[in-house]
Amino acid sequence: VQLVESGGGLVRTGGSLRLSCVASGFTFDDYVMGWFRQAPGEELEGLSCISIIDGTIYYGDSAKGRFTISSDNAKNTVYLEMNSLRPEDTANYYCTADPEPCNRWYIEDPSYDYRGRGTQVTVSS
């Protein structure tokens, strides 16, 4: 099983980034994909999830209004479009896969089966 994130980088305040996560080694349709982030010294924070089979989407408070999750099922890829970035968005961003439903518990009480290594996002002021 592999989850490989990409798309991170250095961006100025107000800028945008699109993160990608390519999944392999499991049946993509059977899973709910999620995005989490962790800043140095901080706890893991859930951002969003998407159910591949039915398209259900949930956003945590930090992601509402600025971030958009989507998927390309033909490419086994999930995306996180991030706009109006702020210095406090600086973190390592991780992609996850779990069969649990996409809802607040996926975001707030993570117990995912798989997680990628992450991609670093740095937002300068």
Side-chain angles (χ1 to χ4, degrees):
V1 172
Q2 274 196 315
L3 296 175
V4 180
E5 302 95 335
S6 63
L10 175 64
V11 64
R12 292 189 176 185
T13 296
S16 299
L17 285 173
R18 187 175 82 154
L19 307 184
S20 300
C21 170
V22 179
S24 62
F26 61 94
T27 303
F28 194 61
D29 289 359
D30 289 346
Y31 280 76
V32 170
M33 304 297 294
W35 284 99
F36 290 75
R37 68 185 181 187
Q38 189 166 25
E42 302 290 333
E43 293 186 353
L44 190 67
E45 179 183 20
L47 297 172
S48 184
C49 59
I50 181 169
S51 171
I52 301 304
I53 195 69
D54 66 12
T56 300
I57 288 174
Y58 183 86
Y59 292 102
D61 289 343
S62 296
K64 288 178 183 176
R66 297 189 298 127
F67 296 177
T68 303
I69 195 170
S70 63
S71 68
D72 184 336
N73 298 357
K75 296 181 179 180
N76 282 14
T77 300
V78 63
Y79 304 97
L80 186 69
E81 183 80 31
M82 306 188 296
N83 298 310
S84 301
L85 285 165
R86 308 162 180 162
E88 52 265 40
D89 294 317
T90 295
N92 202 11
Y93 284 68
Y94 299 96
C95 170
T96 62
D98 194 87
E100 290 296 314
C102 176
N103 54 34
R104 64 176 294 186
W105 305 118
Y106 189 107
I107 297 300
E108 296 180 7
D109 187 24
S111 61
Y112 36 78
D113 282 0
Y114 309 117
R115 189 181 91 170
R117 292 187 175 184
T119 185
Q120 177 67 34
V121 172
T122 302
V123 184
S124 64
S125 57

